Amino acid sequence: DAGVIQSPRHEVTEMGQEVTLRCKPISGHNSLFWYRQTMMRGLELLIYFNNNVPIDDSGMPEDRFSAKMPNASFSTLKIQPSEPRDSAVYFCASGTEAFFGQGTRLTVV
Amino acid sequence: DAKTTQPPSMDCAEGRAANLPCNHSTISGNEYVYWYRQIHSQGPQYIIHGLKNNETNEMASLIITEDRKSSTLILPHATLRDTAVYYCIVRVYSNSGYALNFGKGTSLLVTP
């Protein structure tokens, strides 16, 4: 099993651009989580899905953020338009015990 | 989910047991205790979880007090690679998925 796969590993974009982060969960896992980590705020839960349905998106910071899970093997987190304060490491995790991917380091300049 | 309290940092000599405490005095009867760790620049890693009985796996042991208001994660023979931030979390266990909220954790430094 390859584990949770996130892409890209690194992303540098200009302010105002759209950014899409991708996640492939572990096969058979019903739960999927998106987290954001910064030095100031630590690990923040943004949203989680169960059986492809968003259960709790109260952690999504604002309307510029959106997440989808069109099927059991794929999820996206989109930021449009991006801002410098969105710079962080974004993690995806799957399964009841939340197995994490390696993260996407996003830098918005 | 019940809130947890952990010391911000701890040191441990290599080869010795590392005992990481966690207080969760408001834990509910159906909430489990979960432990994760995060090694620098990596995603958090699941370690172990338990409800009320002590648990052991290949990574660590989890000791939960009888009143369930506190727990201790034990790394029996710490190595330098165990240097990481360790998070104690309480949450309801369900296959339907429940939030997993991380606090600040304990930064463990294992020294030679």
Side-chain angles (χ1 to χ4, degrees), chain A residues 35 37 50 91 96-97 100, chain B residues 36 38 43-44 91 95-96 100:
Chain A
Y35 287 86
Q37 186 170 34
N50 192 61
F91 288 105
T96 306
E97 279 71 44
F100 281 74
Chain B
Y36 290 78
Q38 187 173 24
R91 75 192 274 233
N95 286 331
S96 65
L100 193 62

Side-chain angles (χ1 to χ4, degrees), chain A residues 9 30-31 33 35 37 40 42-43 45 48-51 55-56 91 95-103 105, chain B residues 34 36 38 40-46 49 87 89 91-104:
Chain A
R9 291 294 309 276
N30 296 327
S31 299
F33 307 82
Y35 287 86
Q37 186 170 34
M40 290 294 294
L43 267 165
L45 176 63
Y48 73 94
F49 295 83
N50 192 61
N51 292 324
I55 302 300
D56 184 355
F91 288 105
T96 306
E97 279 71 44
F99 293 95
F100 281 74
Q102 290 301 303
R105 181 174 296 276
Chain B
Y34 280 74
Y36 290 78
Q38 187 173 24
H40 183 61
S41 298
Q42 298 183 19
Q45 177 188 21
Y46 166 80
H49 75 277
Y87 297 97
I89 302 166
R91 75 192 274 233
V92 175
Y93 179 91
S94 171
N95 286 331
S96 65
Y98 280 84
L100 193 62
N101 293 302
F102 289 77
K104 297 185 184 301

Side-chain angles (χ1 to χ4, degrees), chain A residues 11 14 16 18 22 24 26 29 38-40 55 57-58 64 79 82 87 97 102 105 108:
Chain A
E11 176 80 32
E14 291 185 348
E18 177 181 295
R22 297 173 174 79
K24 177 178 169 55
I26 294 172
H29 283 182
T38 61
M39 287 292 292
M40 290 294 294
I55 302 300
D57 64 354
S58 59
R64 297 185 297 106
I79 308 172
S82 58
S87 297
E97 279 71 44
Q102 290 301 303
R105 181 174 296 276
V108 183

Side-chain angles (χ1 to χ4, degrees), chain B residues 6 20-22 33-36 46-48 62 71 73 87-88:
Chain B
Q6 299 178 252
L20 293 95
C22 179
V33 179
Y34 280 74
W35 283 84
Y36 290 78
Y46 166 80
I47 301 174
I48 198 168
L62 173 60
S71 61
L73 180 75
Y87 297 97
C88 169

Side-chain angles (χ1 to χ4, degrees), chain A residues 5-38:
Chain A
I5 300 173
Q6 292 187 244
S7 63
R9 291 294 309 276
H10 302 273
E11 176 80 32
V12 180
T13 190
E14 291 185 348
M15 182 175 63
Q17 296 297 306
E18 177 181 295
V19 176
T20 299
L21 311 181
R22 297 173 174 79
C23 175
K24 177 178 169 55
I26 294 172
S27 177
H29 283 182
N30 296 327
S31 299
L32 184 138
F33 307 82
W34 280 102
Y35 287 86
R36 176 173 69 176
Q37 186 170 34
T38 61

